[in-house]
Amino acid sequence: MASHFRSYIWDPVLIISQILLMQCIYYSFLGLWLAGVDGLVHNSRSLDQIFSYEVLGFSTLQGRLSMMAFILNSLTCALGLWFFIRRGKQCLDFTVTVHFFHMIGCWIYNSHLPAALSWWLVNVVCIALMAVIGEYLCMRTELRAIPVNTGPKSNL
């Protein structure tokens, strides 16, 4: 009887549902982080904070706080990778997919690709943080010692 531990089966429904779940986690927690940041400085909430590349910048307090929310969101999404994806080899794939769809959303919202260097820098840093921390957490779980039966040994 062969073991089916970690058998790799192509399951597009699972992959698509995981992508949708990670997108939901990304935007839900980004919205929560931005709401928390807005509550600190009493700013109004808007979709510009999520999709407009002009909001992210080093020159204004709102821009720096929005960057902080994006970075904190990458940490939260790394936990989502660990909890729902659970495969270290797939963390980079799901991270890039989430950020690719975010870039498409920004492109549609602004009617052109983001042109600010700060937007690209923040997203590259967020991709790196989310992928590395997610991979670290998943690998720690994958490499846990598997308990071996310590019952009596038989003489063969």
Side-chain angles (χ1 to χ4, degrees):
M1 186 160 58
S3 172
H4 294 291
F5 180 73
R6 296 277 185 200
S7 62
Y8 297 101
I9 299 172
W10 172 250
D11 190 2
V13 174
L14 175 66
I15 294 170
I16 290 171
S17 63
Q18 286 175 324
I19 289 171
L20 290 174
L21 179 64
M22 286 307 299
Q23 286 299 137
C24 290
I25 290 170
Y26 181 81
Y27 287 118
S28 298
F29 282 100
L30 181 59
L32 288 174
W33 285 116
L34 286 170
V37 166
D38 289 341
L40 290 175
V41 293
H42 305 295
N43 280 344
S44 62
R45 294 165 188 88
S46 111
L47 280 178
D48 282 348
Q49 291 177 301
I50 295 174
F51 293 111
S52 179
Y53 64 88
E54 295 160 347
V55 172
L56 294 175
F58 296 102
S59 60
T60 65
L61 176 65
Q62 178 62 32
R64 289 189 299 269
L65 289 174
S66 293
M67 284 187 208
M68 183 182 73
F70 272 85
I71 290 171
L72 290 172
N73 187 48
S74 67
L75 303 177
T76 309
C77 288
L79 291 174
L81 288 170
W82 176 54
F83 194 72
F84 294 110
I85 306 304
R86 296 198 165 270
R87 298 283 300 154
K89 291 171 72 173
Q90 295 176 338
C91 286
L92 181 62
D93 299 338
F94 279 97
T95 300
V96 171
T97 301
V98 164
H99 284 85
F100 175 75
F101 284 130
H102 177 65
M103 184 188 71
I104 297 297
C106 291
W107 190 357
I108 292 169
Y109 187 81
N110 295 302
S111 302
H112 59 307
L113 274 173
L117 179 63
S118 59
W119 187 90
W120 290 100
L121 287 174
V122 166
N123 279 286
V124 166
V125 167
C126 288
I127 287 170
L129 280 174
M130 185 175 160
V132 168
I133 294 171
E135 245 179 81
Y136 173 75
L137 293 171
C138 289
M139 293 301 280
R140 275 190 57 179
T141 303
E142 287 176 350
L143 294 176
R144 251 190 234 149
I146 299 171
V148 179
N149 187 4
T150 58
K153 297 178 183 177
S154 61
N155 275 336
L156 294 179

